[in-house]
Amino acid sequence: MFDRSEILKDAWRRFRNIRRDYKPWQIERGHVDGSFAHCLRTAWRIAKENAAKEAAEARLATGPNAERAATIRQSIEWLNYAPAHMNVEHSRAALQAELAALAA
């Protein structure tokens, strides 16, 4: 179900990045959680979130609402090409909420 090798690689990458980006005193004083356990928990959480998103996308792509979901995605994409003076955030939020409702 989950690729454990990729999860561990992601955890080690996060661990190395934290150790590279923060000074030792920041980690020791608790400004940032630089433990490998924290990195591993984060990697697992992200992997589970991605799996849930993929499952929702698969349901939308093959379910009874597949045609409507494709139309909504196309409408969201078209909003990227609206004139700059137009505020499309309300429309984008409404379309994304409708897409999320279809996925549920």
Side-chain angles (χ1 to χ4, degrees):
M1 186 169 169
F2 291 105
D3 188 0
R4 293 178 183 167
S5 173
E6 287 302 317
I7 293 171
L8 279 173
K9 287 177 186 177
D10 184 41
W12 277 110
R13 181 185 52 78
R14 290 176 185 285
F15 182 74
R16 285 190 300 269
N17 288 343
I18 287 173
R19 295 296 172 159
R20 181 193 68 215
D21 294 341
Y22 295 96
K23 304 288 185 211
W25 65 268
Q26 291 173 310
I27 295 170
E28 290 168 4
R29 292 182 186 173
H31 295 290
V32 64
D33 189 355
S35 67
F36 182 75
H38 175 74
C39 296
L40 188 58
R41 280 192 303 269
T42 302
W44 270 106
R45 180 181 47 81
I46 290 172
K48 289 176 183 178
E49 288 172 359
N50 289 340
K53 286 179 187 176
E54 289 174 6
E57 289 295 321
R59 280 194 310 272
L60 279 178
T62 59
N65 298 322
E67 188 174 318
R68 178 65 184 143
T71 304
I72 293 171
R73 283 192 193 103
Q74 184 64 43
S75 298
I76 292 171
E77 180 64 29
W78 285 344
L79 289 176
N80 292 332
Y81 302 105
H85 70 278
M86 293 180 64
N87 187 1
V88 297
E89 291 308 311
H90 180 70
S91 300
R92 184 184 315 276
L95 288 169
Q96 288 175 340
E98 185 177 352
L99 191 61
L102 287 177

